[in-house]
CSV table of all heavy atoms in Angstrom, one decimal:
chain,number,residue,atom,x,y,z
V,230,THR,N,-20.4,9.1,6.0
V,230,THR,CA,-21.5,9.2,5.1
V,230,THR,C,-21.4,10.4,4.2
V,230,THR,O,-20.6,11.3,4.5
V,230,THR,CB,-22.9,9.3,5.9
V,230,THR,OG1,-22.9,10.5,6.5
V,230,THR,CG2,-23.0,8.1,6.9
V,231,ASN,N,-22.1,10.4,3.1
V,231,ASN,CA,-22.0,11.6,2.2
V,231,ASN,C,-22.4,12.9,3.0
V,231,ASN,O,-21.9,13.9,2.7
V,231,ASN,CB,-22.9,11.4,1.0
V,231,ASN,CG,-22.8,12.5,0.0
V,231,ASN,OD1,-21.7,12.8,-0.4
V,231,ASN,ND2,-23.9,13.2,-0.3
V,232,VAL,N,-23.4,12.8,3.9
V,232,VAL,CA,-23.9,13.9,4.6
V,232,VAL,C,-22.7,14.4,5.5
V,232,VAL,O,-22.4,15.6,5.6
V,232,VAL,CB,-25.1,13.6,5.4
V,232,VAL,CG1,-25.5,14.8,6.4
V,232,VAL,CG2,-26.3,13.4,4.5
V,233,GLU,N,-22.1,13.5,6.2
V,233,GLU,CA,-20.9,13.9,7.1
V,233,GLU,C,-19.8,14.5,6.3
V,233,GLU,O,-19.2,15.5,6.7
V,233,GLU,CB,-20.4,12.7,7.9
V,233,GLU,CG,-21.4,12.1,8.9
V,233,GLU,CD,-21.0,10.8,9.5
V,233,GLU,OE1,-20.4,10.0,8.7
V,233,GLU,OE2,-21.3,10.6,10.7
V,234,LEU,N,-19.5,13.9,5.1
V,234,LEU,CA,-18.5,14.4,4.3
V,234,LEU,C,-18.8,15.8,3.8
V,234,LEU,O,-18.0,16.7,3.8
V,234,LEU,CB,-18.2,13.4,3.1
V,234,LEU,CG,-17.2,13.8,2.1
V,234,LEU,CD1,-15.8,14.0,2.7
V,234,LEU,CD2,-17.1,12.8,0.9
V,235,SER,N,-20.0,15.9,3.3
V,235,SER,CA,-20.4,17.3,2.8
V,235,SER,C,-20.3,18.4,3.8
V,235,SER,O,-19.9,19.5,3.5
V,235,SER,CB,-21.8,17.2,2.2
V,235,SER,OG,-22.8,17.0,3.2
V,236,GLU,N,-20.6,18.0,5.1
V,236,GLU,CA,-20.5,19.0,6.2
V,236,GLU,C,-19.1,19.4,6.4
V,236,GLU,O,-18.7,20.5,6.6
V,236,GLU,CB,-21.1,18.4,7.5
V,236,GLU,CG,-22.6,18.3,7.4
V,236,GLU,CD,-23.2,17.6,8.6
V,236,GLU,OE1,-22.4,17.1,9.5
V,236,GLU,OE2,-24.5,17.5,8.7
V,237,ARG,N,-18.2,18.4,6.4
V,237,ARG,CA,-16.8,18.7,6.6
V,237,ARG,C,-16.1,19.5,5.5
V,237,ARG,O,-15.1,20.1,5.8
V,237,ARG,CB,-16.0,17.4,6.8
V,237,ARG,CG,-16.5,16.7,8.1
V,237,ARG,CD,-15.4,15.8,8.6
V,237,ARG,NE,-15.9,15.0,9.8
V,237,ARG,CZ,-15.3,14.0,10.3
V,237,ARG,NH1,-14.2,13.6,9.8
V,237,ARG,NH2,-15.8,13.4,11.4
V,238,VAL,N,-16.6,19.4,4.3
V,238,VAL,CA,-16.0,20.1,3.2
V,238,VAL,C,-16.8,21.3,2.8
V,238,VAL,O,-16.5,22.0,1.8
V,238,VAL,CB,-15.7,19.2,2.0
V,238,VAL,CG1,-14.8,18.1,2.3
V,238,VAL,CG2,-17.0,18.7,1.4
V,239,ALA,N,-17.8,21.6,3.6
V,239,ALA,CA,-18.7,22.8,3.4
V,239,ALA,C,-19.3,22.8,2.0
V,239,ALA,O,-19.2,23.8,1.3
V,239,ALA,CB,-17.9,24.1,3.7
V,240,LEU,N,-20.0,21.7,1.7
V,240,LEU,CA,-20.7,21.6,0.4
V,240,LEU,C,-22.0,20.9,0.6
V,240,LEU,O,-22.0,20.0,1.5
V,240,LEU,CB,-19.8,20.8,-0.5
V,240,LEU,CG,-20.0,20.7,-2.0
V,240,LEU,CD1,-19.9,22.1,-2.6
V,240,LEU,CD2,-19.1,19.8,-2.7
V,241,SER,N,-23.0,21.2,-0.1
V,241,SER,CA,-24.3,20.4,0.1
V,241,SER,C,-24.1,19.0,-0.4
V,241,SER,O,-23.2,18.7,-1.2
V,241,SER,CB,-25.4,21.2,-0.6
V,241,SER,OG,-25.2,21.2,-2.0
V,242,PRO,N,-24.9,18.1,0.2
V,242,PRO,CA,-24.8,16.6,-0.1
V,242,PRO,C,-24.8,16.2,-1.6
V,242,PRO,O,-24.0,15.4,-2.0
V,242,PRO,CB,-25.9,16.0,0.6
V,242,PRO,CG,-26.2,16.9,1.8
V,242,PRO,CD,-26.0,18.3,1.2
V,243,SER,N,-25.7,16.8,-2.4
V,243,SER,CA,-25.8,16.4,-3.8
V,243,SER,C,-24.5,16.7,-4.6
V,243,SER,O,-24.0,15.9,-5.3
V,243,SER,CB,-27.0,17.1,-4.4
V,243,SER,OG,-27.4,16.3,-5.5
V,244,PRO,N,-24.0,18.0,-4.6
V,244,PRO,CA,-22.7,18.3,-5.3
V,244,PRO,C,-21.6,17.5,-4.7
V,244,PRO,O,-20.6,17.1,-5.4
V,244,PRO,CB,-22.5,19.8,-5.1
V,244,PRO,CG,-23.8,20.3,-4.7
V,244,PRO,CD,-24.6,19.2,-4.0
V,245,CYS,N,-21.6,17.2,-3.4
V,245,CYS,CA,-20.5,16.5,-2.8
V,245,CYS,C,-20.5,15.1,-3.3
V,245,CYS,O,-19.4,14.5,-3.7
V,245,CYS,CB,-20.7,16.5,-1.3
V,245,CYS,SG,-19.3,15.6,-0.4
V,246,LEU,N,-21.6,14.4,-3.4
V,246,LEU,CA,-21.7,13.1,-4.0
V,246,LEU,C,-21.3,13.1,-5.4
V,246,LEU,O,-20.6,12.1,-5.9
V,246,LEU,CB,-23.2,12.6,-3.8
V,246,LEU,CG,-23.4,11.1,-4.2
V,246,LEU,CD1,-22.5,10.2,-3.3
V,246,LEU,CD2,-24.8,10.7,-4.0
V,247,ARG,N,-21.7,14.1,-6.2
V,247,ARG,CA,-21.3,14.2,-7.6
V,247,ARG,C,-19.8,14.2,-7.7
V,247,ARG,O,-19.2,13.6,-8.5
V,247,ARG,CB,-22.0,15.3,-8.2
V,247,ARG,CG,-21.8,15.4,-9.7
V,247,ARG,CD,-22.7,16.5,-10.4
V,247,ARG,NE,-22.9,17.7,-9.7
V,247,ARG,CZ,-24.0,18.1,-9.0
V,247,ARG,NH1,-25.0,17.3,-9.0
V,247,ARG,NH2,-24.1,19.2,-8.4
Side-chain angles (χ1 to χ4, degrees):
T230 66
N231 184 55
V232 171
E233 293 169 325
L234 178 60
S235 67
E236 289 171 357
R237 292 203 185 171
V238 299
L240 195 63
S241 60
S243 203
C245 184
L246 187 59
R247 188 168 40 254

